Amino acid sequence: MSSHCRIERLLGVLLLFAVAGCERERREYHAAPAGDNPRPALTEFQPGGSDTAVSAIGAHFEANAYHINQGGRWYRSFNCNGCHGNGGGAIGPALMDEQWRYGGNIDQIHASIIDGRPNGMPAWRQRLTDEQAWQLAAYVRALAGNVSMAAAPSRREAINATPPLNQLPPQPPRGGDPPTVPTP
Amino acid sequence: MSAVPKPLRCLALLAAVCTLLVLSGCRGVQSVLDPAADQAQAIDHVWWVMVSVCSVLYLAVLVALAWALLRARRRREALAEGTRHDPAWRQALVAWSILVVGLLTWFVVIAFLADQKLHAGHPDLEVRITAKQWWWQVEYLSDDPQQQFVTANELWLPRDRTARIELRSGDVIHSFWVPALTGKEDLIPGYTNALLVTPRRAGAYRGQCGEFCGLQHAHMALDVHVVDDAQFAAWQQRQRLPAPVPSTALAQHGQSVFMGSACLSCHAVRGTVAGSRLGPDLTHLASRRSLAAGALPMQREALDQWLRDPQHYKPGNLMPAVPLSERDRAALADYLMGLQ
């Protein structure tokens, strides 16, 4: 077999992989989840419940880049960062660590958003559509780095106030200290 | 006439029809060539000067080229290069170059003067327009907070008054463009632009986002109404009022549906508990000419369809379909149509 033929096969396989990646980008505008939402039961010993199986709806939402991005949009729009910061937590608990009072899988996070939780988390039932709550839950999962690398967006939607710090033009103070970095 | 071959005649007819169709686009609510404001007039002037001068020169070049080709066919010997040293030709070429440079300089001067005109004038009122994906938030500013109000997708301007329009963006780069009134100006996130508009002719005009801003860029229109002072004052007076209280039982039910569902998470209806600034202000929704930034006409039927599934008419927009029963949605549509 010639190397030429092998390269063609390799390209074919690569193309198949690329096509499989399209699902990640699918923009589902009619994503009203069908059927009943999972309601993970709370137990006394472990408020989040102990089962970690994820519903089909949840798995679907956290595998899609569009839903995660929309979730990020709602996160800022509905002022989640008022309490949770940009994931680091402030008045409310941090969302980008590994500790979860009421469970950290997407079903449990969705239930926390919809039902609210003691000590401050409001119930968003009727204030958000179910679709928005799922998108938010998917984003919160992404904040802790728990979604597939293929679905997580590689850049932020928000505007950066400045260029990256290592790309800023040097502005040495006039008449003050000499610049610490010698100008090239 | 029979000397002209038939395909050529068909082609000429087609060209004539196409030209007529194209020219018919020069009139109307969204035309640069039908200026209704000082600023558009200044731009229109530059445009006409440039088009007429360039057309004449273009024709002159084509005629000269045709003449040269015909002559060359008759005089084969002239094809030998660099054979001519006629001083008359050299003078003609120098004159032509001077003419071209002179005309270009004239263009620069009139464009500069037009630009001066665009930025001259003292504003009588201030409006702030914030473009969002995919609608326009329009705020009428005033030193007196009681005189300020917010509306959406509709800009009213008094005739013969200069308005300063402050331009901002809520998300990505958009461009404000009302062709009949003025040129384009970008709305850039984190940056404030401004332009002046002095409308001179009353009427309804159409604005359109002029910079691709996402999937529904084409469905991002702005209705502009130029009216006289008295009408403008009356409109402002009405817009400042809180939303009317629903009168019928169905509309009252609609209000409770609005206040009890996801609607109030994004929309404001002044005079009620709904006060979010995320989506368009709906206080006087039914007084506007269109729905969803020009995507649908302001009719009860269209509103009902829009509420049923906003993603059907503008896929990708930020309004989710809120699941409501038929009765609740009808009531909600009644309530919203009452927000005059």
Side-chain angles (χ1 to χ4, degrees):
Chain A
M1 180 170 290
S2 69
S3 67
H4 182 67
C5 192
R6 242 180 298 160
I7 286 174
E8 274 181 358
R9 271 193 198 180
L10 189 68
L11 282 178
V13 171
L14 280 179
L15 191 71
L16 273 181
F17 273 124
V19 170
C22 294
E23 194 56 31
R24 163 200 188 275
E25 289 287 349
R26 183 193 290 275
R27 294 184 170 218
E28 292 173 312
Y29 304 129
H30 300 85
D36 288 337
N37 282 320
R39 288 262 168 269
L42 303 185
T43 70
E44 233 171 277
F45 300 117
Q46 202 174 352
S50 53
D51 66 299
T52 48
V54 173
S55 67
I57 302 174
H60 177 78
F61 271 84
E62 69 180 12
N64 185 290
Y66 173 69
H67 289 322
I68 294 172
N69 249 325
Q70 289 296 97
R73 218 165 178 159
W74 305 134
Y75 189 91
R76 289 183 291 276
S77 304
F78 294 118
N79 199 27
C80 302
N81 33 17
C83 292
H84 296 284
N86 285 311
I91 299 169
L95 302 175
M96 51 198 298
D97 59 7
E98 75 292 2
Q99 292 174 20
W100 295 91
R101 291 180 197 173
Y102 299 96
N105 80 32
I106 189 167
D107 294 351
Q108 293 161 326
I109 294 170
H110 174 261
S112 294
I113 293 169
I114 290 293
D115 296 335
R117 295 297 178 210
N119 296 329
M121 176 74 188
W124 287 87
R125 187 193 299 277
Q126 308 287 350
R127 291 289 171 259
L128 294 178
T129 64
D130 216 27
E131 182 188 348
Q132 287 175 313
W134 277 115
Q135 289 173 335
L136 262 171
Y139 177 71
V140 169
R141 287 275 294 165
L143 272 180
N146 286 327
V147 298
S148 136
M149 286 276 278
S154 58
R155 64 186 171 88
R156 287 195 161 266
E157 288 270 298
I159 304 161
N160 290 321
T162 62
L165 295 189
N166 61 356
Q167 287 174 27
L168 283 174
Q171 311 270 2
R174 194 176 296 169
D177 307 329
T180 47
V181 184
T183 37
Chain B
M1 198 61 198
S2 58
V4 184
K6 201 176 173 208
L8 211 64
R9 251 187 293 166
C10 284
L11 210 65
L13 194 69
L14 195 70
V17 170
C18 284
T19 314
L20 275 179
L21 277 177
V22 168
L23 283 179
S24 70
C26 299
R27 294 242 146 250
V29 292
Q30 190 181 321
S31 173
V32 183
L33 300 182
D34 195 7
D38 285 356
Q39 289 76 9
Q41 189 75 54
I43 295 170
D44 189 60
H45 172 69
V46 176
W47 192 86
W48 275 113
V49 169
M50 290 183 88
V51 163
S52 26
V53 170
C54 292
S55 305
V56 168
L57 286 197
Y58 180 64
L59 282 178
V61 169
L62 282 190
V63 166
L65 186 66
W67 178 74
L69 285 173
L70 287 175
R71 247 172 75 90
R73 195 176 281 179
R74 267 186 267 129
R75 295 180 49 184
R76 291 279 165 197
E77 74 276 14
L79 284 175
E81 56 195 274
T83 50
R84 221 170 243 290
H85 294 285
D86 190 346
W89 275 103
R90 182 168 299 171
Q91 279 165 8
L93 274 176
V94 169
W96 175 257
S97 305
I98 289 174
L99 176 72
V100 169
V101 171
L103 286 173
L104 286 177
T105 314
W106 183 36
F107 287 176
V108 170
V109 170
I110 59 166
F112 176 79
L113 292 178
D115 194 55
Q116 295 288 307
K117 258 188 212 167
L118 294 189
H119 298 102
H122 185 75
D124 301 308
L125 80 155
E126 297 236 1
V127 185
R128 178 187 296 151
I129 292 188
T130 311
K132 309 197 180 176
Q133 280 176 324
W134 290 280
W135 59 282
W136 309 87
Q137 176 178 298
V138 182
E139 289 169 87
Y140 283 78
L141 305 177
S142 167
D143 291 336
D144 178 5
Q146 288 200 329
Q147 303 296 309
Q148 296 198 19
F149 61 91
V150 186
T151 178
N153 300 326
E154 204 159 80
L155 176 67
W156 284 59
L157 295 173
R159 197 186 54 198
D160 298 331
R161 300 262 179 266
T162 300
R164 180 177 181 274
I165 301 180
E166 197 180 297
L167 302 168
R168 296 182 178 191
S169 167
D171 33 50
V172 298
I173 300 178
H174 302 268
S175 187
F176 174 86
W177 191 31
V178 186
L181 299 185
T182 182
K184 281 180 202 163
E185 188 80 43
D186 277 9
L187 304 97
I188 299 164
Y191 189 84
T192 304
N193 268 335
L195 48 77
L196 296 173
V197 182
T198 317
R200 293 292 178 196
R201 200 173 70 223
Y205 305 99
R206 188 177 187 277
Q208 167 69 36
C209 181
E211 174 82 31
F212 182 71
C213 58
L215 208 56
Q216 296 303 326
H217 161 66
H219 285 150
M220 189 169 164
L222 177 70
D223 285 320
V224 184
H225 299 272
V226 175
V227 292
D228 60 40
D229 277 346
Q231 278 173 301
F232 182 71
W235 177 79
Q236 269 194 317
Q237 199 53 46
R238 216 168 48 243
Q239 292 290 319
R240 285 189 199 111
L241 296 175
V245 178
S247 48
T248 66
L250 195 62
Q252 276 161 7
H253 176 60
Q255 185 175 29
S256 64
V257 169
F258 188 97
M259 302 308 160
S261 70
C263 307
L264 93 164
S265 297
C266 295
H267 293 287
V269 178
R270 274 174 281 137
T272 71
V273 295
S276 176
R277 282 291 190 88
L278 210 51
D281 185 295
L282 302 180
T283 312
H284 297 287
L285 172 74
S287 73
R288 297 176 200 153
R289 204 188 66 83
S290 66
L291 265 175
L296 291 168
M298 180 58 70
Q299 289 160 2
R300 196 185 177 286
E301 191 57 31
L303 180 65
D304 190 63
Q305 293 295 319
W306 171 258
L307 292 174
R308 185 198 298 268
D309 187 6
Q311 298 297 325
H312 178 75
Y313 296 99
K314 269 176 102 164
N317 85 78
L318 286 187
M319 178 160 162
V322 179
L324 293 173
S325 71
E326 289 284 329
R327 182 172 173 274
D328 282 356
R329 203 179 60 243
L332 184 59
D334 252 34
Y335 170 59
L336 292 175
M337 286 309 286
L339 296 178
Q340 284 291 341

